[in-house]
Amino acid sequence: MNSSLPKTPFVAIACGGTGGHLFPGIAVAEQLKQRGCDVALLISPKDIDQQAVKSAVGMEVFTLPAVGLQNKNYLPFLASFGKSLFAAWKLFHRRRPDAVLAMGGFTSAPPVFAAKDMGAKTFLHESNTIPGRSNRFVSRFVDAAFVGFPEAAARLKSRKTEVTGTPVRPQFSPEAKVQNPESSCRTALGLAPELPTVLVVGGSQGARGLNDLVLSALPLLREKNWQWLHLTGAHDFEKVQAAYAANGIKAVVKPFLAEMNLALGAATACVSRAGASSLAEIAAMRLPSLLVPLPTAADNHQFFNATAFEKTGAARLLDQKNSPPETVAARLVEIVESDAVRLPMQAALGRWHAPQSAGQIAGMILSALGQGKSDPVRAAGEIKLKAIA
């Protein structure tokens, strides 16, 4: 064996728990693969994780025990954390990583500590304006942190923080939308290719409050020659499907859809939660949206994400508890039918799109490993995002 041959970097990305952690992690993994790295994805046992990684070609996938802190139940949390830490330690002893990237959530924390014990470089990415508890804790131990919103940097304790934006997969971009136009996306999803289309999506787990808010406005919109694509989550599928039928409204209703690039590509407008990964995809596709923050989100971070978009004219914010049907309907008519509203919103969304984010993060990880320089477009991306703050 020729020991003079360069070593192939091995990078593990801990990205399990929610789609908001998984999909940005996969985007970075794809960039690392393109740059010659071996990559492993560390995920949780949740079904969303298991389904999402089927699209990750050429990467190892390992399932670690889920870690969560609910209602201050610290003993179960410590037990699950310990199991995941031991599993990561065993995994890394079989093959030592050169670097580990944590994408957020407590499931991503144990691999960071296991990797540090072996001398690997460690990094995290925080996509929200208000960092989660796990990232706030882990940030003081990593070599560098990457953030999606400039506001998040001051809330982390890392020795080095870079504003990169939130990575999105290549199929989310204005270029992808040109290559796969609205009519093609609609046809692929069983929709009429010519009709304006409203997408309703509450995240990978669905959203009952969001579903109910939209259903309350349907009687006011039944005369519109629109069609709807409504992703309900597992629990509300039958109720939502029945509501569209009762109002005589054309709709494709699904509990879940893996091909979110088709959903966003088909849409004229969107009603969405305000998780950072969803917002990054909406910005990439320049999709005018009503944002309905999840009221129970940790530290109310979705509200602050949505507020940042609304302040720059990139979206409209609706309060789930205090938005009557008339307001919901009127706001939807504006973003579907009024160019005076849509066009400035699409221009503002362009300011939030960080197309080089995944490449920047991959480049900075490799630079820390002595495997080349950081991505040369990094500085331009930072200026663009900092101008929003």
Side-chain angles (χ1 to χ4, degrees), residues 150 312 351 382-389:
T312 60
R351 297 176 59 200
E382 288 179 355
I383 292 169
K384 181 181 177 185
L385 285 164
K386 286 178 179 174
I388 298 168

Side-chain angles (χ1 to χ4, degrees), residues 213-236:
L213 184 71
V214 170
L215 296 189
S216 72
L218 290 184
L220 303 175
L221 297 167
R222 69 173 75 188
E223 301 304 321
K224 293 290 181 182
N225 191 28
W226 302 349
Q227 62 188 344
W228 298 67
L229 173 61
H230 196 135
L231 310 181
T232 66
H235 300 295
D236 279 358

Side-chain angles (χ1 to χ4, degrees), residues 273-345:
R273 288 302 194 198
S277 180
S278 296
L279 295 186
E281 293 174 352
I282 285 169
M285 301 294 273
R286 309 294 195 269
L287 182 60
S289 299
L290 302 183
L291 302 179
V292 186
L294 176 66
T296 57
D299 299 313
N300 205 20
H301 69 265
Q302 288 201 11
F303 171 79
F304 293 102
N305 292 350
T307 298
F309 267 51
E310 185 179 55
K311 282 182 177 178
T312 60
R316 297 285 178 86
L317 189 157
L318 286 177
D319 182 278
Q320 178 176 300
K321 297 180 180 178
N322 299 301
S323 295
E326 293 79 10
T327 299
V328 178
R331 292 286 179 86
L332 268 174
V333 170
E334 286 181 340
I335 66 170
V336 173
E337 297 184 347
S338 173
D339 284 345
V341 174
R342 291 177 52 78
L343 296 179
M345 190 176 288

